[in-house]
């Protein structure tokens, strides 16, 4: 299945919430209009697209300095396997001229044929303060957060106040604003020439760390990288077993240690093995006990101290895994983990089955940390690089044309 379709289907709860909400806002106070029939052929050439305006979103400074890579990062669209070319759907154009009826029948022979005998009625509502307020509330219910929702609606309103808009036009401009916020943070995990590149994976209990490591390991393996996994969550025996199952699925060795043993010494052994094997990547799973923050902090910093004995620049990536179903809570998790570890990027899991997908927009807006990937299910291939246009279209319920 094309990833966009999968994303859209799985983001159903978020998108249907926005979709239905937007329709209701336009219906409430809007008036039905029948668009004028287009002129018959010849087709008019499409006017050149206006240059995109420079972003007007005041960007938040990124508080964490970017990690200093030892070697030049290799931008690697090829590292995380992309969906096959035929699976990449082109998102709908994000900007449409204000005066064009959004769903006007297509001009030309086919358009006349399809449009014959039926007048399509579109409801439009003039954009005013009341409507903006309703839009803002709707975005807040989708977990976009108050500040981000305000910013998105304010940007969307620019130059459109008083204009009569259809639900589709609003979706398109919302998707455009969301894409603009998310584009700067949509970056795949950088791959360094360093061997082994150490990836420390952190996050609260149940956020999806172990599952994400399994999925990533499988994707890196498929991309030709050799990977070693360290089961650094020695707190629960079940965690080790779970990781072993993922290791088998991905065809990647998993280093384990007895329950209750020191995760730092396991990480050290794993570093030794990864070096001896000439592995490209070492992924270290960790326990996510936030109940005792001091313990967790000590545990994480000990892992870092120990692996730095082998490589002073390790870990090269610290991925924070966040669960989308926790909504706004994800924001405070980022704040906490930025204090506990030098977070270099985010992975957002469980975007399937939640109506809180908007939190990803709030995260991008507030922290500006790279979003490497998103999880939309429990299967090995349910993790994809983050694509802002696809995400914005799926979130707003916009159909790809
Ligand atoms: N629906 C869905 N479920 C997911 C996703 N990612 C992980 N899960 C599920 O979430 C649950 C917790 O995932 P784990 O990978 O065990 O989470 P963890 O962070 O390692 O948890 P702890 O080891 O307890 O800290 C499991 O049942 C996973 O199958 C996702 O993208 N979508
Ligand atoms: Mg785990």
């Amino acid at each position: 299945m094309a990833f966009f379709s999968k994303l859209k289907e799985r983001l159903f709860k978020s998108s249907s919430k926005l979709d239905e909400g937007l329709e209701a806002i336009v219906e409430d106070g809007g008036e039905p209009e029948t668009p004028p029939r287009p002129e018959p052929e010849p087709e008019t050439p499409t006017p050149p697209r206006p240059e995109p305006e420079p972003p007007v979103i005041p960007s938040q400074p990124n508080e964490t300095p970017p990690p200093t890579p030892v070697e030049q990062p290799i931008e690697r669209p090829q590292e995380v396997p992309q969906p096959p070319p035929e699976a990449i759907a082109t998102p709908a154009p994000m900007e449409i001229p204000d005066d064009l009826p959004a769903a006007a029948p297509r001009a030309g022979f086919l358009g006349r044929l399809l449009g014959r005998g039926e007048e399509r009625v579109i409801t439009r509502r003039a954009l005013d303060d009341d409507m903006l307020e309703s839009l803002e509330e709707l975005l807040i219910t989708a977990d976009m957060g108050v500040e981000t929702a305000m910013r998105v609606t304010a940007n969307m309103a620019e130059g459109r106040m008083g204009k009569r808009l259809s639900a589709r036009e609003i979706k398109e401009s919302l998707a455009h604003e969301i894409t603009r916020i998310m584009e700067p943070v949509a970056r795949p995990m950088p791959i360094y020439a360093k061997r082994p590149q150490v990836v420390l994976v952190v996050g609260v209990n149940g956020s999806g760390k172990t599952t994400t490591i399994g999925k990533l390991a499988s994707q890196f393996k498929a991309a030709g990288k050799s990977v070693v996994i360290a089961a650094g969550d020695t707190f629960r025996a079940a965690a080790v077993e779970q990781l072993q199952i993922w290791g088998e699925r991905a065809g990647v060795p998993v280093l384990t240690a007895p329950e209750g043993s020191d995760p730092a010494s396991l990480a050290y052994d794993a570093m030794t093995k990864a070096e001896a094997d000439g592995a490209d990547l070492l992924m270290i799973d960790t326990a996510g006990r936030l109940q005792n923050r001091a313990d967790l902090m000590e545990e994480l910093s000990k892992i870092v101290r120990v692996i730095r004995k082998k490589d002073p620049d390790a870990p090269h990536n610290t991925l924070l895994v966040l669960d989308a179903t926790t909504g706004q809570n994800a924001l405070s998790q980022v704040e906490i983990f930025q204090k506990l570890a030098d977070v270099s990027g985010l992975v957002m899991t469980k975007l399937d089955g939640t109506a809180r997908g908007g939190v990803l927009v709030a995260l991008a807006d507030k922290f500006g940390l790279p979003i490497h990937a998103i999880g939309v299910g429990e299967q090995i291939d349910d993790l994809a690089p983050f694509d802002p246009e696809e995400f914005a279209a799926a979130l707003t319920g916009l159909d790809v044309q």
Side-chain angles (χ1 to χ4, degrees):
M1 192 194 294
F3 193 77
F4 178 76
S5 321
K6 187 150 120 184
L7 181 67
K8 182 139 190 277
E9 187 190 294
R10 304 220 175 147
L11 266 174
F12 177 72
K13 286 196 180 148
S14 289
S15 62
S16 63
K17 187 172 200 168
L18 282 183
D19 206 359
E20 285 163 19
L22 285 174
E23 301 281 349
I25 290 171
V26 175
E27 287 290 330
D28 177 23
E31 279 167 24
E33 277 178 15
T34 310
R37 276 189 175 278
E39 286 299 310
E41 289 177 31
E43 283 183 37
T44 44
T46 332
R49 239 167 208 290
E51 281 298 306
E53 288 168 23
V56 289
I57 316 150
S59 60
Q60 301 274 337
N62 183 353
E63 285 172 7
T64 38
T68 36
V70 230
E71 277 149 73
Q72 270 306 99
I74 303 162
E75 270 313 321
R76 37 139 238 150
Q78 76 279 15
E79 306 302 350
V80 174
Q82 302 284 336
E86 71 273 14
I88 303 172
T90 317
M94 293 303 163
E95 263 184 298
I96 50 161
D98 287 338
D99 51 351
L100 187 76
R106 280 192 292 157
F109 176 72
L110 192 64
R112 274 183 288 136
L113 198 68
L114 295 173
R116 187 183 298 154
E118 60 172 86
E119 300 277 298
R120 294 188 58 187
V121 176
I122 298 166
T123 302
R124 288 162 176 276
R125 179 176 166 187
L127 187 62
D128 58 11
D129 286 342
D130 272 0
M131 187 169 162
L132 273 184
E133 206 171 300
S134 309
L135 286 172
E136 213 174 276
E137 278 165 20
L138 181 65
L139 297 183
I140 293 169
T141 63
D143 261 278
M144 218 175 267
V146 177
E147 283 170 35
T148 307
M150 279 169 67
R151 200 180 335 272
V152 167
T153 46
N155 286 348
M156 185 212 137
E158 225 177 69
R160 290 194 178 85
M161 286 310 269
K163 293 236 161 79
R164 302 181 59 73
L165 301 172
S166 68
R168 177 168 181 93
E169 285 164 330
I170 298 171
K171 275 186 215 170
E172 281 174 338
S173 51
L174 280 180
H176 175 71
E177 290 308 329
I178 291 169
T179 306
R180 221 156 60 156
I181 292 178
M182 316 242 23
E183 239 154 18
V185 300
R187 273 179 271 150
M189 191 181 92
I191 290 289
Y192 303 92
K194 189 78 197 178
R195 271 190 185 181
Q197 175 172 336
V198 182
V199 183
L200 185 65
V201 180
V202 301
V204 300
N205 268 39
S207 59
K209 297 179 292 296
T210 305
T211 310
T212 299
I213 289 178
K215 292 171 176 173
L216 280 174
S218 142
Q219 296 193 0
F220 283 126
K221 179 90 191 297
K225 299 275 170 197
S226 57
V227 184
V228 172
I229 297 175
D233 180 359
T234 57
F235 189 61
R236 289 188 303 123
V240 173
E241 279 163 35
Q242 187 193 1
L243 204 48
Q244 275 168 331
I245 294 170
W246 275 108
E248 269 165 40
R249 275 184 209 154
V252 162
V254 178
L255 255 87
T256 62
E259 187 179 347
S261 59
D262 182 10
S265 73
L266 171 73
Y268 188 84
D269 292 346
M271 220 23 210
T272 312
K273 177 173 168 51
E275 277 175 349
D277 291 0
D280 297 308
L281 284 158
L282 167 62
M283 308 194 72
I284 305 177
D285 196 8
T286 61
R289 289 165 290 139
L290 254 195
Q291 296 88 314
N292 189 335
R293 210 174 287 179
D295 274 1
L296 183 62
M297 187 186 291
E298 181 44 36
E299 191 169 302
L300 291 178
S301 50
K302 192 167 171 199
I303 292 175
V304 170
R305 260 197 326 271
V306 164
I307 54 177
R308 281 190 180 155
K309 287 186 185 160
K310 292 246 170 216
D311 179 351
D313 298 309
H316 306 90
N317 313 83
T318 301
L319 303 189
L320 173 59
V321 177
L322 298 165
D323 171 350
T325 63
T326 59
Q328 289 291 296
N329 213 317
L331 297 167
S332 50
Q333 285 173 25
V334 175
E335 272 163 7
I336 292 168
F337 274 92
Q338 279 189 317
K339 287 183 196 134
L340 296 181
D342 189 10
V343 176
S344 62
L346 307 177
V347 174
M348 173 67 80
T349 66
K350 308 189 200 178
L351 274 167
D352 51 310
T354 177
R356 322 189 80 174
V359 68
L360 204 50
V361 189
L363 283 167
D365 192 29
K366 182 151 190 221
F367 298 102
L369 280 167
I371 299 171
H372 298 316
I374 53 172
V376 292
E378 297 183 83
Q379 302 306 312
I380 204 156
D381 58 352
D382 289 334
L383 185 85
F386 176 64
D387 180 318
E389 275 192 32
E390 283 192 349
F391 175 79
L395 185 70
T396 52
L398 201 59
D399 288 318
V400 167
Q401 287 176 328

